[in-house]
Amino acid sequence: MRNTRALAVAGAAVAALGLSAPAAVAWETPSNITALPSVIARGGQLTITVDGCRGGGVATSNAFSPTRLSPVGGGGKGSEGDRGGAGNGTARGTALINSDARPGPYDITVDCNGRRMTKPQAFTVIGGVRGGLGGSTTTGATPTDVAIGGGLVAAAVVGGGVFWMRRRAERRI
């Protein structure tokens, strides 16, 4: 009877150790690269999050310069993080998309803890918006703008007065 209990306890301990070892190794390997927003215009800021990158790392792509990833939360071993006890092992960084990046999908490659991982088509760059001069000038309204605006206001006042006078004339009949 004692041998059966000892064998059961030993088997449970080996099973627990065997199941926890792959999980410990997985947290040391970069995984789950997330890029937000997934669709971004040229010149925009892209937030990159990588799980399993405890000490931080570097993210690279053809659409932005190499970007440093910093540990988030309790990233160090033994510290209390989001997972309770082992740290969450997440690293995050913000990349600025090049203003001359071509529209289309882009890969992200991450180097963490001496390991490399690539997520294909992690985000898509769209072309910039061509909005003309609306709001992009710093000199304010030009005299031409003021003249056009004043003319439109004067036309509205005259048109409103004519309409009001006609309505008043119809009531007398």
Side-chain angles (χ1 to χ4, degrees):
M1 187 77 161
R2 289 182 183 159
N3 289 340
T4 307
R5 285 185 188 162
L7 186 58
V9 169
V14 168
L17 181 62
L19 292 175
S20 66
V25 171
W27 278 106
E28 296 298 325
T29 304
S31 64
N32 194 26
I33 299 172
T34 307
L36 292 174
S38 60
V39 177
I40 189 166
R42 293 178 262 187
Q45 289 187 347
L46 184 72
T47 301
I48 304 163
T49 306
V50 182
D51 293 337
C53 192
R54 291 184 188 278
V58 177
T60 57
S61 176
N62 291 334
F64 56 81
S65 300
T67 301
R68 178 86 182 124
L69 302 174
S70 301
V72 176
K77 289 185 179 178
S79 63
E80 292 292 319
D82 295 338
R83 293 179 1 116
N88 61 6
T90 301
R92 183 174 295 144
T94 303
L96 184 63
I97 302 298
N98 296 333
S99 60
D100 61 349
R102 292 180 185 232
Y106 284 89
D107 302 345
I108 294 179
T109 301
V110 174
D111 290 317
C112 286
N113 308 323
R115 305 207 182 214
R116 182 176 214 141
M117 179 181 177
T118 299
K119 181 172 183 181
Q121 300 182 356
F123 65 98
T124 303
V125 174
I126 58 174
V129 177
R130 295 189 183 265
L133 294 177
S136 66
T137 59
T138 58
T139 59
T142 63
T144 305
D145 295 335
V146 173
I148 292 171
L152 290 173
V153 169
V157 168
V158 170
V162 169
F163 179 75
W164 183 67
M165 293 299 286
R166 288 188 56 170
R167 293 280 303 201
R168 196 169 156 207
E170 288 177 3
R171 286 189 202 167
R172 290 185 182 172
I173 296 177

